[in-house]
């Protein structure tokens, strides 16, 4: 055990939860229920288009819902408010774990690390996904940006996690997939970052590199 490391902070979407698969399953349900007049091949094309328009979850949700109203080949159109209600009700129910989550969390717990989740998003959605995956109780603290009143990469939200875990920055590691929100943001406070390479390319203009980089979550076990 690395005695300098006392705590691990995890990002949630596309770090502990496979957001790619989660959103795909949600989109498939939406298209199946609301565009059922279309043939299966056309439905598949629309699902793929929705995935692109969603932009890995970084698209403004209200703008996304309004765009869906305009671009989808409706038989019985929905309003943006109705699409939002469907999303808030069903999206979280499709939550899928990333590979090796159970193994990694069990290892961290066995080694005595304090663990936290820090995630940008709405309270209802983020906690709903965690609870569907039965992950919330694995962590000593959970920070959701809506509750915190700030979001990554605001340095105050990382400090909030350090304060709640009662550790110093140099005793902590942040694991996440987003170069800015997870790795660069944590680095501003001196927290070492482990970058899980997923959908985002590294931005060389950040002027720093991750402490470590991994392609699968279980590679973390070789680091900590």
């Amino acid at each position: 055990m690395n005695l300098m490391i006392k705590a691990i902070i995890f990002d949630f979407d596309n770090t502990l939860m496979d957001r790619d698969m989660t959103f795909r399953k949600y989109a498939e349900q939406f298209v199946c229920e609301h565009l059922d007049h279309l043939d299966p091949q056309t439905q598949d094309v629309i699902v793929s288009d929705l995935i692109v328009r969603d932009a890995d979850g970084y698209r403004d949700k209200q703008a996304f819902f309004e765009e869906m109203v305009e671009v989808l080949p409706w038989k019985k159109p929905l309003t943006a408010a109705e699409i939002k209600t469907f999303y808030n009700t069903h999206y979280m129910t499709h939550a899928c774990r990333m590979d090796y989550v159970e193994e990694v969390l069990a290892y961290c717990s066995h080694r005595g690390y304090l663990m936290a989740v820090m995630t940008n998003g709405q309270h209802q959605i983020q906690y709903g996904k965690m609870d569907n995956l039965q992950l919330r109780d694995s962590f000593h603290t959970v920070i959701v940006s809506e509750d915190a009143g700030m979001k990554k990469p605001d340095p105050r939200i990382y400090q909030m996690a350090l304060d709640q875990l009662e550790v110093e920055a140099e005793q902590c590691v942040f694991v996440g997939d987003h170069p800015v929100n997870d790795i660069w943001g944590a680095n501003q406070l001196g927290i070492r970052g482990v970058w899980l390479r997923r959908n985002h390319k590294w931005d060389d203009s950040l002027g720093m590199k991750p402490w470590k980089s991994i392609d699968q979550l279980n590679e973390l076990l070789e680091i900590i």
Side-chain angles (χ1 to χ4, degrees):
M1 179 177 181
N2 186 338
L3 296 178
M4 285 296 294
I5 298 175
K6 293 185 177 181
I8 315 291
I9 305 174
F10 292 91
D11 170 50
F12 187 67
D13 290 328
N14 271 339
T15 298
L16 298 177
M17 186 196 80
D18 187 336
R19 191 188 183 279
D20 296 345
M21 182 60 67
T22 299
F23 187 82
R24 173 174 287 279
K25 288 182 176 294
Y26 155 75
E28 288 173 347
Q29 181 189 2
F30 181 89
V31 170
C32 181
E33 292 192 21
H34 296 291
L35 300 173
D36 58 343
H37 61 289
L38 302 175
D39 63 83
Q41 184 176 2
T42 303
Q43 289 183 352
D44 288 344
V45 170
I46 291 174
V47 167
S48 297
D49 181 65
L50 290 176
I51 290 170
V52 172
R53 292 177 187 274
D54 171 66
D56 201 33
Y58 288 92
R59 177 80 182 278
D60 176 78
K61 288 294 182 292
Q62 185 60 33
F64 178 49
F65 299 147
E66 291 173 358
E67 185 176 65
M68 289 172 67
V69 172
E70 297 298 324
V71 303
L72 292 180
W74 303 100
K75 183 176 182 180
K76 182 181 179 182
L78 297 181
T79 65
E82 289 171 328
I83 296 172
K84 178 180 179 180
T85 297
F86 188 90
Y87 177 88
N88 288 343
T89 302
H90 296 286
Y91 169 60
M92 68 185 75
T93 68
H94 293 289
C96 302
R97 291 187 181 194
M98 290 283 280
D99 292 340
Y100 309 112
V101 164
E102 186 173 352
E103 175 187 349
V104 168
L105 296 183
Y107 173 88
C108 291
S109 178
H110 177 72
R111 299 302 292 265
Y113 292 123
L114 300 170
M115 290 188 288
V117 169
M118 182 189 297
T119 177
N120 286 348
Q122 301 175 31
H123 175 104
Q124 175 192 356
I125 299 295
Q126 298 305 87
Y127 275 109
K129 292 184 293 189
M130 285 182 217
D131 291 342
N132 273 298
L133 295 178
Q134 299 181 323
L135 290 179
R136 196 198 303 204
D137 292 341
S138 300
F139 302 99
H140 296 85
T141 189
V142 174
I143 297 176
V144 178
S145 64
E146 183 179 54
D147 299 329
M150 63 193 86
K151 63 182 181 179
K152 300 178 293 182
D154 188 323
R156 295 174 298 167
I157 199 167
Y158 309 97
Q159 187 61 55
M160 179 183 292
L162 295 175
D163 292 343
Q164 292 184 11
L165 293 170
E166 299 183 326
V167 297
E168 301 298 325
E170 61 269 18
Q171 298 172 317
C172 189
V173 169
F174 197 108
V175 183
D177 70 299
H178 197 282
V180 175
N181 291 346
D182 298 328
I183 308 306
W184 179 84
N187 184 72
Q188 301 312 293
L189 274 76
I191 301 171
R192 286 171 283 188
V194 177
W195 179 40
L196 178 59
R197 290 181 285 238
R198 289 283 290 178
N199 300 331
H200 304 284
K201 294 182 179 180
W202 188 259
D203 184 353
D204 290 330
S205 70
L206 294 175
M208 53 84 64
K209 295 291 185 183
W211 176 54
K212 302 288 184 181
S213 299
I214 58 178
D215 294 303
Q216 294 287 344
L217 199 58
N218 64 339
E219 295 172 38
L220 181 65
L221 307 187
E222 301 174 6
I223 298 172
I224 60 173

